[in-house]
Amino acid sequence: MDRNSVTGLAIIAVIMMVWLQFMSPANKPLQKANTVKTEQVAQQVQVPSALSSTPVSDNFGVFAASAGGKEQLFTVENDLFRATLSSKGATLKSLVLKKHLDGNRKAFDLVSNGKNGALSLLFLTREGKKIDTRDLYFSTASLDTLHTVKGKETYALRYHLAVTPQQAVDITWLFGGDSYSVGYDVKLTGFASELAGNEYQLQWDGGVAYSEKNRQDEAQNTWASAFLGGSQVKIDASKPNEPYREEQSGEARWVAVRSKYFVVALIPQGHTAGIYLDGKRAPGNDFENYVAALKMGVPETGEVVNDKFKIYLGPLDYNTVKAQNVGLEKVMDFGWDWLTRPFAEYIILPVFTWMNGFVGNYGIIIIIFAFLIKLVTYPLSMASTKSMKKMSALQPVLKELQEKYKDNPAKLQSELGRIYKEAGVNPIGGCLPVVLQMPLLFAMFYVFRSSIQLRQHSFLWAKDLSVPDSIFDFGFAIPMYGSHIAVFPILMAVTVYLQQKITPTTQTNDQAKVMMYMFPAMMLLFFNNMPAGLGLYYLMFNIFSVAQQFYINKTTTAADMPNVSLVSPSSGSARKQKKGGVKK
């Protein structure tokens, strides 16, 4: 491997480390601003203990009659999850997925705010009463406490809240048997001109419960976002005791809260007035708590407002979220939209999905994928390797030129250009193929880190291809290396060393010896904390590269090497003419 190639790889490795440190979702801390009514509405309504003796009517106004009652729980079970709903707030209190377990391979609840419920409507009345429907008791005509929906069946659970003889709130939940999407219909009767700002909010409160063993890693992949105006808005509450907030007006396609592998999205089926996102993180706790809300307008005229929503509660599976047809797949982080995301969306994921149709093990799929990528890049790699061999053969001539013209840089560059042209080599030819493959490697890093396809899929000793293939934990962290020993990075470093050993080089013995050990060590340090799937891919790609290098070394003959002259034709002709003149 020549100096240009090694230098390029070293620079890329440094870029990767710096990029991982700084290319995180943009954090937007809360800015001090004037009080906004919609922000007041978005805050969760809590009655302080000091006001416990205050009459209910003073806190709820016309909603006071619904502030007391008995809670009734209702469970709806379909092919994919088991949901528990409450008549207090007509809200969702629990959602347990059937096909996805937590890091300990146990069932877990996607709803973190199980005590109060996660979904609610918020109003600010003309009298200044802040109303959260989770404080109100709805009635329902259903007498069952459990209903099962299968296949293509559907089921509707209706809740009614009678406020006054002329005012009512109706909420209808619509469940399908084989879908992570749930219908949520809101009907407001008699609220025209009764709400401050002529709007209400539908909010998801409490973020998404964590499911992985590594909570710090999960926190780094958790945020709230919204899509409106053709672009995505994100907030990431990464710092404790620092609130984050984003509020915008306009047509929104969705608001969502995601963890590393799961997402909850509120998707309007009609017009919206805007979005509201809020996030915070408590000191000493990795959990990031988010509120995501849709602002909905209420006309000043008209007796009834009917708004329909769809709520997606499930895995961050690319094909599943894309099937919602609202651009929800943009909530998945595949890096730069102009570079790595196209590789992820149009190459990696489609190929993986296609191969998964007839290959059940994702470890084998990764090996096949590495082989396919090697086949595609084979012509480029072949040209690069031959270029490096020619550069290696030119070293004696190049060193002689450098010594001869050390005091004449212009002449040296001219002669070097002539030598490269005669030999048919490109001095950066060894580095270029590596650089061209880096977007694919970056894209694979994003896919393996955030896509649920590899989660909890094993291969050989790796129990989960989405996390490092650790075989021993130290119990403490070694700087730059980590707290465990992963096998794939070690094997990969060995293949990197072997590849350098058999690849022609243009370096001196001391330089070659340093790089022979330094670059494999850099790769070992970098990949030790990467997903096992990524380490497996790079390991197999290197193995195929070593096999290719053996083949090239075996089939390359002396006739393939460049035959160049140290003296340029013009210089030789000039000297010949000069000698002829002397003879005369």
Side-chain angles (χ1 to χ4, degrees), residues 199-227:
E199 70 174 31
Y200 72 93
Q201 293 188 18
L202 171 66
Q203 80 160 14
W204 177 272
D205 179 19
V208 178
Y210 286 1
S211 60
E212 307 307 297
K213 291 181 179 180
N214 190 337
R215 292 178 66 86
Q216 291 183 344
D217 176 66
E218 188 156 20
Q220 291 175 359
N221 293 279
T222 299
W223 58 79
S225 61
F227 193 82

mmCIF file of all heavy atoms in Angstrom, residues 199-227:
data_model
loop_
_atom_site.group_PDB
_atom_site.id
_atom_site.type_symbol
_atom_site.label_atom_id
_atom_site.label_comp_id
_atom_site.label_asym_id
_atom_site.label_seq_id
_atom_site.Cartn_x
_atom_site.Cartn_y
_atom_site.Cartn_z
ATOM 1 N N GLU A 199 -57.645 27.299 18.936
ATOM 2 C CA GLU A 199 -56.916 26.070 18.618
ATOM 3 C C GLU A 199 -56.828 25.168 19.845
ATOM 4 O O GLU A 199 -57.041 25.603 20.987
ATOM 5 C CB GLU A 199 -55.504 26.372 18.100
ATOM 6 C CG GLU A 199 -54.556 26.908 19.150
ATOM 7 C CD GLU A 199 -53.129 27.064 18.625
ATOM 8 O OE1 GLU A 199 -52.973 27.338 17.412
ATOM 9 O OE2 GLU A 199 -52.179 26.931 19.418
ATOM 10 N N TYR A 200 -56.544 23.917 19.571
ATOM 11 C CA TYR A 200 -56.212 22.954 20.620
ATOM 12 C C TYR A 200 -54.982 22.180 20.154
ATOM 13 O O TYR A 200 -54.529 22.324 19.012
ATOM 14 C CB TYR A 200 -57.385 22.002 20.900
ATOM 15 C CG TYR A 200 -57.647 20.985 19.806
ATOM 16 C CD1 TYR A 200 -57.074 19.711 19.861
ATOM 17 C CD2 TYR A 200 -58.469 21.286 18.719
ATOM 18 C CE1 TYR A 200 -57.316 18.773 18.850
ATOM 19 C CE2 TYR A 200 -58.720 20.363 17.727
ATOM 20 C CZ TYR A 200 -58.138 19.112 17.794
ATOM 21 O OH TYR A 200 -58.358 18.190 16.806
ATOM 22 N N GLN A 201 -54.446 21.368 21.061
ATOM 23 C CA GLN A 201 -53.269 20.578 20.708
ATOM 24 C C GLN A 201 -53.499 19.106 21.015
ATOM 25 O O GLN A 201 -54.109 18.764 22.043
ATOM 26 C CB GLN A 201 -52.030 21.066 21.465
ATOM 27 C CG GLN A 201 -51.572 22.454 21.049
ATOM 28 C CD GLN A 201 -50.242 22.827 21.679
ATOM 29 O OE1 GLN A 201 -49.508 21.963 22.142
ATOM 30 N NE2 GLN A 201 -49.934 24.102 21.700
ATOM 31 N N LEU A 202 -53.017 18.269 20.110
ATOM 32 C CA LEU A 202 -52.959 16.833 20.371
ATOM 33 C C LEU A 202 -51.503 16.528 20.690
ATOM 34 O O LEU A 202 -50.615 16.763 19.864
ATOM 35 C CB LEU A 202 -53.404 16.040 19.144
ATOM 36 C CG LEU A 202 -53.175 14.522 19.215
ATOM 37 C CD1 LEU A 202 -54.038 13.895 20.297
ATOM 38 C CD2 LEU A 202 -53.452 13.865 17.868
ATOM 39 N N GLN A 203 -51.255 16.019 21.894
ATOM 40 C CA GLN A 203 -49.860 15.843 22.313
ATOM 41 C C GLN A 203 -49.577 14.417 22.773
ATOM 42 O O GLN A 203 -50.429 13.716 23.301
ATOM 43 C CB GLN A 203 -49.517 16.811 23.441
ATOM 44 C CG GLN A 203 -50.000 16.375 24.821
ATOM 45 C CD GLN A 203 -49.265 17.075 25.956
ATOM 46 O OE1 GLN A 203 -48.566 18.067 25.767
ATOM 47 N NE2 GLN A 203 -49.438 16.578 27.163
ATOM 48 N N TRP A 204 -48.321 14.029 22.500
ATOM 49 C CA TRP A 204 -47.757 12.806 23.075
ATOM 50 C C TRP A 204 -46.779 13.257 24.152
ATOM 51 O O TRP A 204 -45.863 14.009 23.897
ATOM 52 C CB TRP A 204 -47.035 11.980 22.013
ATOM 53 C CG TRP A 204 -46.385 10.750 22.574
ATOM 54 C CD1 TRP A 204 -45.134 10.643 23.104
ATOM 55 C CD2 TRP A 204 -46.965 9.442 22.684
ATOM 56 N NE1 TRP A 204 -44.885 9.360 23.534
ATOM 57 C CE2 TRP A 204 -45.996 8.605 23.286
ATOM 58 C CE3 TRP A 204 -48.204 8.906 22.326
ATOM 59 C CZ2 TRP A 204 -46.235 7.255 23.536
ATOM 60 C CZ3 TRP A 204 -48.441 7.566 22.576
ATOM 61 C CH2 TRP A 204 -47.469 6.745 23.174
ATOM 62 N N ASP A 205 -46.982 12.771 25.356
ATOM 63 C CA ASP A 205 -46.198 13.242 26.506
ATOM 64 C C ASP A 205 -45.475 12.070 27.154
ATOM 65 O O ASP A 205 -46.092 11.071 27.503
ATOM 66 C CB ASP A 205 -47.138 13.919 27.511
ATOM 67 C CG ASP A 205 -46.396 14.408 28.743
ATOM 68 O OD1 ASP A 205 -45.165 14.556 28.681
ATOM 69 O OD2 ASP A 205 -47.058 14.629 29.777
ATOM 70 N N GLY A 206 -44.170 12.187 27.315
ATOM 71 C CA GLY A 206 -43.408 11.178 28.044
ATOM 72 C C GLY A 206 -42.338 10.491 27.232
ATOM 73 O O GLY A 206 -41.685 9.561 27.706
ATOM 74 N N GLY A 207 -42.119 10.918 26.003
ATOM 75 C CA GLY A 207 -41.090 10.284 25.187
ATOM 76 C C GLY A 207 -41.432 8.841 24.866
ATOM 77 O O GLY A 207 -42.595 8.437 24.850
ATOM 78 N N VAL A 208 -40.395 8.057 24.600
ATOM 79 C CA VAL A 208 -40.542 6.630 24.318
ATOM 80 C C VAL A 208 -39.645 5.870 25.290
ATOM 81 O O VAL A 208 -38.476 6.230 25.474
ATOM 82 C CB VAL A 208 -40.140 6.295 22.864
ATOM 83 C CG1 VAL A 208 -40.240 4.804 22.607
ATOM 84 C CG2 VAL A 208 -41.028 7.065 21.890
ATOM 85 N N ALA A 209 -40.190 4.843 25.924
ATOM 86 C CA ALA A 209 -39.424 4.081 26.905
ATOM 87 C C ALA A 209 -38.182 3.465 26.259
ATOM 88 O O ALA A 209 -38.223 3.011 25.118
ATOM 89 C CB ALA A 209 -40.292 2.987 27.519
ATOM 90 N N TYR A 210 -37.081 3.442 27.000
ATOM 91 C CA TYR A 210 -35.848 2.841 26.501
ATOM 92 C C TYR A 210 -35.958 1.320 26.543
ATOM 93 O O TYR A 210 -36.610 0.746 27.421
ATOM 94 C CB TYR A 210 -34.650 3.293 27.324
ATOM 95 C CG TYR A 210 -34.211 4.717 27.061
ATOM 96 C CD1 TYR A 210 -34.899 5.525 26.154
ATOM 97 C CD2 TYR A 210 -33.104 5.263 27.699
ATOM 98 C CE1 TYR A 210 -34.501 6.815 25.913
ATOM 99 C CE2 TYR A 210 -32.690 6.554 27.462
ATOM 100 C CZ TYR A 210 -33.395 7.340 26.569
ATOM 101 O OH TYR A 210 -32.990 8.617 26.322
ATOM 102 N N SER A 211 -35.270 0.680 25.606
ATOM 103 C CA SER A 211 -35.364 -0.773 25.505
ATOM 104 C C SER A 211 -34.008 -1.470 25.529
ATOM 105 O O SER A 211 -33.944 -2.683 25.701
ATOM 106 C CB SER A 211 -36.085 -1.161 24.204
ATOM 107 O OG SER A 211 -35.373 -0.661 23.077
ATOM 108 N N GLU A 212 -32.900 -0.726 25.344
ATOM 109 C CA GLU A 212 -31.589 -1.355 25.188
ATOM 110 C C GLU A 212 -30.799 -1.366 26.495
ATOM 111 O O GLU A 212 -31.071 -0.588 27.412
ATOM 112 C CB GLU A 212 -30.789 -0.626 24.105
ATOM 113 C CG GLU A 212 -31.539 -0.496 22.787
ATOM 114 C CD GLU A 212 -32.069 -1.814 22.273
ATOM 115 O OE1 GLU A 212 -31.246 -2.714 21.977
ATOM 116 O OE2 GLU A 212 -33.303 -1.963 22.169
ATOM 117 N N LYS A 213 -29.809 -2.250 26.574
ATOM 118 C CA LYS A 213 -28.968 -2.334 27.761
ATOM 119 C C LYS A 213 -28.089 -1.095 27.907
ATOM 120 O O LYS A 213 -27.879 -0.599 29.007
ATOM 121 C CB LYS A 213 -28.087 -3.588 27.693
ATOM 122 C CG LYS A 213 -28.843 -4.901 27.833
ATOM 123 C CD LYS A 213 -27.872 -6.083 27.785
ATOM 124 C CE LYS A 213 -28.609 -7.403 27.944
ATOM 125 N NZ LYS A 213 -27.682 -8.557 27.893
ATOM 126 N N ASN A 214 -27.549 -0.633 26.791
ATOM 127 C CA ASN A 214 -26.679 0.540 26.807
ATOM 128 C C ASN A 214 -27.546 1.795 26.726
ATOM 129 O O ASN A 214 -27.891 2.271 25.657
ATOM 130 C CB ASN A 214 -25.702 0.475 25.637
ATOM 131 C CG ASN A 214 -24.615 1.540 25.722
ATOM 132 O OD1 ASN A 214 -24.785 2.576 26.367
ATOM 133 N ND2 ASN A 214 -23.488 1.291 25.069
ATOM 134 N N ARG A 215 -27.888 2.340 27.869
ATOM 135 C CA ARG A 215 -28.798 3.479 27.920
ATOM 136 C C ARG A 215 -28.133 4.753 27.393
ATOM 137 O O ARG A 215 -28.807 5.621 26.826
ATOM 138 C CB ARG A 215 -29.301 3.693 29.346
ATOM 139 C CG ARG A 215 -30.210 2.567 29.835
ATOM 140 C CD ARG A 215 -30.645 2.794 31.272
ATOM 141 N NE ARG A 215 -31.488 3.963 31.411
ATOM 142 C CZ ARG A 215 -32.803 3.970 31.247
ATOM 143 N NH1 ARG A 215 -33.431 2.858 30.910
ATOM 144 N NH2 ARG A 215 -33.499 5.086 31.414
ATOM 145 N N GLN A 216 -26.819 4.887 27.573
ATOM 146 C CA GLN A 216 -26.130 6.065 27.047
ATOM 147 C C GLN A 216 -26.177 6.075 25.530
ATOM 148 O O GLN A 216 -26.420 7.112 24.906
ATOM 149 C CB GLN A 216 -24.690 6.101 27.546
ATOM 150 C CG GLN A 216 -24.563 6.385 29.032
ATOM 151 C CD GLN A 216 -23.111 6.476 29.468
ATOM 152 O OE1 GLN A 216 -22.202 6.045 28.755
ATOM 153 N NE2 GLN A 216 -22.876 7.034 30.643
ATOM 154 N N ASP A 217 -25.949 4.914 24.927
ATOM 155 C CA ASP A 217 -26.017 4.824 23.481
ATOM 156 C C ASP A 217 -27.435 5.086 22.988
ATOM 157 O O ASP A 217 -27.637 5.756 21.971
ATOM 158 C CB ASP A 217 -25.543 3.440 23.029
ATOM 159 C CG ASP A 217 -25.677 3.242 21.522
ATOM 160 O OD1 ASP A 217 -24.971 3.929 20.767
ATOM 161 O OD2 ASP A 217 -26.504 2.405 21.102
ATOM 162 N N GLU A 218 -28.422 4.582 23.713
ATOM 163 C CA GLU A 218 -29.808 4.808 23.309
ATOM 164 C C GLU A 218 -30.179 6.283 23.426
ATOM 165 O O GLU A 218 -30.906 6.816 22.586
ATOM 166 C CB GLU A 218 -30.757 3.950 24.136
ATOM 167 C CG GLU A 218 -32.189 4.006 23.641
ATOM 168 C CD GLU A 218 -33.002 2.796 24.034
ATOM 169 O OE1 GLU A 218 -32.618 2.089 24.988
ATOM 170 O OE2 GLU A 218 -34.030 2.542 23.380
ATOM 171 N N ALA A 219 -29.663 6.938 24.473
ATOM 172 C CA ALA A 219 -29.936 8.368 24.638
ATOM 173 C C ALA A 219 -29.363 9.177 23.475
ATOM 174 O O ALA A 219 -29.961 10.166 23.036
ATOM 175 C CB ALA A 219 -29.351 8.862 25.955
ATOM 176 N N GLN A 220 -28.211 8.753 22.949
ATOM 177 C CA GLN A 220 -27.602 9.460 21.826
ATOM 178 C C GLN A 220 -28.428 9.317 20.551
ATOM 179 O O GLN A 220 -28.275 10.100 19.616
ATOM 180 C CB GLN A 220 -26.184 8.941 21.587
ATOM 181 C CG GLN A 220 -25.218 9.308 22.694
ATOM 182 C CD GLN A 220 -23.845 8.683 22.501
ATOM 183 O OE1 GLN A 220 -23.622 7.948 21.535
ATOM 184 N NE2 GLN A 220 -22.927 8.966 23.412
ATOM 185 N N ASN A 221 -29.301 8.315 20.503
ATOM 186 C CA ASN A 221 -30.122 8.072 19.326
ATOM 187 C C ASN A 221 -31.593 8.346 19.593
ATOM 188 O O ASN A 221 -32.474 7.784 18.932
ATOM 189 C CB ASN A 221 -29.945 6.618 18.863
ATOM 190 C CG ASN A 221 -28.547 6.343 18.347
ATOM 191 O OD1 ASN A 221 -28.232 6.646 17.206
ATOM 192 N ND2 ASN A 221 -27.692 5.778 19.193
ATOM 193 N N THR A 222 -31.861 9.219 20.571
ATOM 194 C CA THR A 222 -33.234 9.561 20.948
ATOM 195 C C THR A 222 -33.447 11.050 20.770
ATOM 196 O O THR A 222 -32.622 11.854 21.208
ATOM 197 C CB THR A 222 -33.505 9.165 22.414
ATOM 198 O OG1 THR A 222 -33.349 7.747 22.560
ATOM 199 C CG2 THR A 222 -34.909 9.557 22.835
ATOM 200 N N TRP A 223 -34.544 11.419 20.108
ATOM 201 C CA TRP A 223 -34.888 12.827 19.961
ATOM 202 C C TRP A 223 -36.339 12.961 19.528
ATOM 203 O O TRP A 223 -37.011 11.974 19.243
ATOM 204 C CB TRP A 223 -33.963 13.520 18.944
ATOM 205 C CG TRP A 223 -33.943 12.931 17.570
ATOM 206 C CD1 TRP A 223 -34.851 13.092 16.571
ATOM 207 C CD2 TRP A 223 -32.933 12.063 17.030
ATOM 208 N NE1 TRP A 223 -34.486 12.401 15.453
ATOM 209 C CE2 TRP A 223 -33.306 11.764 15.700
ATOM 210 C CE3 TRP A 223 -31.745 11.518 17.526
ATOM 211 C CZ2 TRP A 223 -32.546 10.938 14.876
ATOM 212 C CZ3 TRP A 223 -30.993 10.702 16.710
ATOM 213 C CH2 TRP A 223 -31.388 10.420 15.409
ATOM 214 N N ALA A 224 -36.812 14.197 19.511
ATOM 215 C CA ALA A 224 -38.152 14.508 18.997
ATOM 216 C C ALA A 224 -37.994 15.295 17.711
ATOM 217 O O ALA A 224 -37.051 16.082 17.562
ATOM 218 C CB ALA A 224 -38.944 15.317 20.020
ATOM 219 N N SER A 225 -38.907 15.088 16.783
ATOM 220 C CA SER A 225 -38.789 15.786 15.502
ATOM 221 C C SER A 225 -40.164 15.992 14.884
ATOM 222 O O SER A 225 -41.164 15.404 15.317
ATOM 223 C CB SER A 225 -37.876 15.011 14.544
ATOM 224 O OG SER A 225 -38.396 13.720 14.278
ATOM 225 N N ALA A 226 -40.177 16.824 13.875
ATOM 226 C CA ALA A 226 -41.413 17.110 13.143
ATOM 227 C C ALA A 226 -41.046 17.393 11.699
ATOM 228 O O ALA A 226 -39.911 17.777 11.393
ATOM 229 C CB ALA A 226 -42.142 18.300 13.752
ATOM 230 N N PHE A 227 -42.008 17.199 10.822
ATOM 231 C CA PHE A 227 -41.785 17.473 9.403
ATOM 232 C C PHE A 227 -42.853 18.433 8.928
ATOM 233 O O PHE A 227 -44.043 18.116 8.939
ATOM 234 C CB PHE A 227 -41.838 16.181 8.587
ATOM 235 C CG PHE A 227 -41.327 16.334 7.184
ATOM 236 C CD1 PHE A 227 -39.968 16.295 6.917
ATOM 237 C CD2 PHE A 227 -42.201 16.537 6.127
ATOM 238 C CE1 PHE A 227 -39.487 16.445 5.630
ATOM 239 C CE2 PHE A 227 -41.740 16.694 4.833
ATOM 240 C CZ PHE A 227 -40.369 16.644 4.586
#
